[in-house]
Amino acid sequence: MQTLHNGKLTRSVSLEDRGWSLGEALFETLLVQQGNPVWLEEHLARLARGCERLQFDFPERALRDDIHQLLSESRDDRAVLRLCLSGDSLGVRGYGAVSRTPHRYCQLAALAPPVRQYWDEGIRAFVAKTRLPEQVELAGIKHSNRLPHVLARAERKARDFPEGLMLSASGLVVEGIASNCFIAVNGELKTPLLDRAGVEGIVRQKVIEVLRTQGVTISEARLTLSDIEAADELFFCNSLIGLWPARQLDCLSFSSFSLCQRVQKELESVWYV
Amino acid sequence: MQTLHNGKLTRSVSLEDRGWSLGEALFETLLVQQGNPVWLEEHLARLARGCERLQFDFPERALRDDIHQLLSESRDDRAVLRLCLSGDSLGVRGYGAVSRTPHRYCQLAALAPPVRQYWDEGIRAFVAKTRLPEQVELAGIKHSNRLPHVLARAERKARDFPEGLMLSASGLVVEGIASNCFIAVNGELKTPLLDRAGVEGIVRQKVIEVLRTQGVTISEARLTLSDIEAADELFFCNSLIGLWPARQLDCLSFSSFSLCQRVQKELESVWYV
């Protein structure tokens, strides 16, 4: 793995980093195929929205330079690019920010191909007991306060359950531990509204675009476990894995993968070159 | 500032640190007076409780050695000691933990004396618009997912409003941005129940002990802004500032500091040697 900190190769994180001390950070995880970061503009746009919320200046030009530098030196066919922007304490204690200029970290690492079996045959998922906090101010953006996700992932082994479904404190379905989720009901697509919790995923948006183009009715809605139980299919998506249909959610079984497969067909080349 | 990472002097944080990448970390902030960390045992006990929740092994012996090493080399009369335990990725991506052994960081920095004026005359505080998430799994412990506190602190200048009152998503009073809070009503003391959000503060416990010994009736309760409006006094406390009575909370004024002053009298020597 190679890491650039503010444009320079580094093997460590600054002690002044408020991402480390206070969780004041944003990040993006991009798939890199044949040297190209997939959906870079969309990822940068989400990062920019996060910067507005956290009152960071958005170092767009510098980030693009960093990415160019890392990718031009890489020989991996398939890699993962992680961009992180974190607050700078400038040596001052406490919660109050003294700088709007975030630390810039760009990391590039080799990445194994996604598990084709999960894509084709679906996965077993579970309903996580750990709930996601509801917080309007932080909903949608990809910040680094990920302890609920870490606790949820610790509930079950990823070997047996590659993904888990997370509910919010008030019991609404939000997302997978590391993905967004969709259900299909009577040929219509539904996905959780992310105004109180969750990350507005890039692949989530692509799924919506693909199926909308095909004339599928799509809605963002407040979904509960009852909606999942009544659904014909359930699937998860993120930038690195692509799309995973669920064949089981705890005791619940799904036999239809139909809408998920329609998206897989359109986007297969993103993950399987 | 001096920082020990796993017992060795460092000027940076490991890239493998999951506190940095995912917010998987705990911390403690201790006041050091004349070379002695104040209420060290209580801070270590809270850290141990946090370790149980995050499934970290608690490196008690090593932490004590680190603290001893840092303090034996320090000449500051007054300092702040920050202990941090964060997850280790061991080079593996994703939310799943591969190690129970956390990174150990001990930091020691000089600290200015607390503002006597705030202690004596009280402060202006504000009600933060940013809400605290409710999350049973993380309630009480001092973890590093502090973005809500950072956003709350950014709402108003600390110069004009040294502290802000934070409510939970459902409107319950929880704590100050960097402190716990108490109200006095008809000679009784009340403090928010911290079973859904907030940090179980060390000074909070000391306040309760001091006033209980003096025969004051004390309860932990679900408090709302209406309770604050009906209160005779409001005060904040933490390890570094001691106790700050509020003379104003936005438009609300408080003229009684009576219960706060009884604790101040007992504990004054902790902050004002």
Side-chain angles (χ1 to χ4, degrees):
Chain A
M1 184 173 67
Q2 285 213 300
T3 303
L4 296 179
H5 171 222
N6 297 340
K8 289 186 183 154
L9 276 174
T10 185
R11 301 187 68 169
S12 60
V13 172
S14 166
L15 273 179
E16 302 301 340
D17 191 295
R18 283 165 51 108
W20 174 65
S21 57
L22 299 171
E24 189 192 25
L26 303 162
F27 70 104
E28 295 289 327
T29 308
L30 289 83
L31 176 65
V32 179
Q33 290 279 32
Q34 319 288 339
N36 297 311
V38 177
W39 295 318
L40 174 62
E41 296 311 316
E42 288 84 344
H43 281 280
L44 289 178
R46 182 172 62 189
L47 196 53
R49 289 197 299 276
C51 283
E52 269 181 40
R53 300 263 196 103
L54 302 198
Q55 298 169 40
F56 288 167
D57 292 329
F58 179 52
E60 180 179 351
R61 177 68 182 273
L63 273 173
R64 288 183 190 275
D65 290 346
D66 293 344
I67 294 167
H68 180 76
Q69 182 183 338
L70 274 184
L71 292 180
S72 64
E73 291 164 7
S74 165
R75 286 188 195 137
D76 293 314
D77 280 348
R78 200 160 181 282
V80 53
L81 178 67
R82 191 180 197 271
L83 310 177
C84 172
L85 296 177
S86 52
D88 188 341
S89 76
L90 299 177
V92 175
R93 288 196 65 263
Y95 293 119
V98 288
S99 165
R100 285 181 60 99
T101 307
H103 287 273
R104 235 163 56 234
Y105 294 90
C106 289
Q107 302 185 283
L108 189 69
L111 186 67
V115 182
R116 184 83 207 196
Q117 190 191 349
Y118 295 158
W119 171 285
D120 288 336
E121 298 171 21
I123 60 161
R124 287 171 74 197
F126 69 102
V127 180
K129 283 188 187 135
T130 307
R131 296 288 179 100
L132 279 170
E134 291 174 1
Q135 186 140 40
V136 177
E137 298 88 347
L138 297 174
I141 64 171
K142 195 152 181 177
H143 57 72
S144 73
N145 282 208
R146 297 280 127 190
L147 259 179
H149 302 77
V150 170
L151 294 179
R153 184 67 277 174
E155 290 181 29
R156 306 261 188 106
K157 293 281 177 209
R159 186 187 58 228
D160 304 321
F161 295 87
E163 189 48 295
L165 186 71
M166 296 196 74
L167 312 181
S168 71
S170 69
L172 295 169
V173 174
V174 181
E175 59 190 6
I177 296 171
S179 63
N180 286 117
C181 67
F182 289 88
I183 55 172
V185 194
N186 301 326
E188 294 187 8
L189 190 75
K190 290 178 194 286
T191 192
L193 190 63
L194 302 178
D195 59 341
R196 297 184 189 175
V199 177
E200 285 168 359
I202 307 304
V203 186
R204 176 181 184 269
Q205 194 52 42
K206 297 294 167 187
V207 169
I208 292 172
E209 285 169 22
V210 164
L211 290 179
R212 193 161 277 160
T213 305
Q214 297 186 7
V216 174
T217 302
I218 299 166
S219 56
E220 294 179 287
R222 300 209 188 282
L223 303 175
T224 65
L225 276 182
S226 308
D227 296 298
I228 309 284
E229 285 164 16
D232 304 312
E233 59 178 297
L234 164 68
F235 61 94
F236 299 92
C237 65
N238 83 20
S239 293
L240 300 187
I241 64 169
L243 291 97
W244 284 348
R247 53 184 167 78
Q248 268 189 286
L249 180 73
D250 288 330
C251 303
L252 212 61
S253 292
F254 299 93
S255 50
S256 167
F257 293 1
S258 146
L259 278 187
C260 182
Q261 282 170 339
R262 281 166 69 172
V263 187
Q264 285 180 328
K265 205 174 164 189
E266 285 292 320
L267 298 181
E268 183 168 359
S269 64
V270 176
W271 294 280
Y272 299 95
V273 179
Chain B
M1 184 172 67
Q2 285 214 300
T3 303
L4 295 179
H5 171 222
N6 296 340
K8 288 186 183 152
L9 275 174
T10 186
R11 302 187 68 169
S12 61
V13 172
S14 166
L15 273 179
E16 302 301 340
D17 191 295
R18 284 165 51 107
W20 174 65
S21 57
L22 299 171
E24 191 193 25
L26 303 162
F27 70 103
E28 295 288 328
T29 308
L30 289 84
L31 176 65
V32 178
Q33 290 279 32
Q34 320 287 340
N36 296 311
V38 176
W39 296 317
L40 173 62
E41 297 310 315
E42 288 85 344
H43 281 280
L44 289 178
R46 182 171 63 188
L47 197 53
R49 289 197 299 277
C51 284
E52 270 182 39
R53 300 263 197 104
L54 302 199
Q55 299 169 41
F56 288 166
D57 292 329
F58 178 52
E60 181 179 350
R61 176 68 181 273
L63 273 173
R64 289 183 190 276
D65 289 347
D66 294 343
I67 294 167
H68 180 76
Q69 183 183 335
L70 273 184
L71 292 179
S72 64
E73 291 164 7
S74 164
R75 285 186 196 141
D76 292 314
D77 279 349
R78 198 159 183 282
V80 54
L81 177 67
R82 190 179 196 273
L83 310 177
C84 171
L85 296 177
S86 53
D88 188 339
S89 76
L90 298 178
V92 176
R93 289 196 64 262
Y95 293 120
V98 288
S99 165
R100 285 180 59 100
T101 307
H103 288 273
R104 236 164 54 234
Y105 294 90
C106 289
Q107 303 185 282
L108 190 68
L111 186 67
V115 182
R116 183 84 209 195
Q117 190 191 348
Y118 295 158
W119 171 285
D120 288 335
E121 298 170 21
I123 60 161
R124 287 172 74 196
F126 69 103
V127 180
K129 283 189 186 134
T130 307
R131 297 289 179 102
L132 280 169
E134 291 174 2
Q135 186 140 41
V136 176
E137 298 89 347
L138 297 174
I141 65 171
K142 194 152 181 175
H143 57 72
S144 73
N145 282 208
R146 297 281 126 191
L147 258 180
H149 303 76
V150 170
L151 294 180
R153 184 68 276 172
E155 290 181 29
R156 307 260 188 106
K157 294 281 177 209
R159 185 188 57 230
D160 303 322
F161 295 88
E163 189 49 294
L165 186 72
M166 295 195 76
L167 311 181
S168 72
S170 69
L172 296 169
V173 174
V174 181
E175 59 191 6
I177 297 171
S179 63
N180 287 118
C181 67
F182 289 89
I183 55 172
V185 194
N186 300 327
E188 295 187 7
L189 190 75
K190 290 180 195 286
T191 191
L193 190 64
L194 302 179
D195 59 342
R196 297 184 189 174
V199 178
E200 286 169 358
I202 307 305
V203 184
R204 175 181 184 269
Q205 194 51 44
K206 296 294 166 187
V207 169
I208 292 172
E209 285 168 22
V210 163
L211 290 180
R212 194 161 274 160
T213 305
Q214 297 186 7
V216 174
T217 302
I218 298 166
S219 56
E220 293 178 288
R222 300 210 188 281
L223 303 176
T224 66
L225 275 182
S226 308
D227 295 298
I228 309 285
E229 284 164 16
D232 303 312
E233 59 178 296
L234 166 69
F235 62 94
F236 299 92
C237 65
N238 84 20
S239 292
L240 300 187
I241 64 170
L243 291 97
W244 284 348
R247 53 184 166 77
Q248 268 190 285
L249 180 73
D250 288 329
C251 301
L252 213 61
S253 293
F254 299 94
S255 49
S256 167
F257 293 3
S258 143
L259 279 187
C260 181
Q261 283 170 339
R262 281 165 69 173
V263 186
Q264 284 180 328
K265 205 174 164 189
E266 284 293 319
L267 298 181
E268 183 168 359
S269 63
V270 175
W271 294 280
Y272 299 96
V273 179

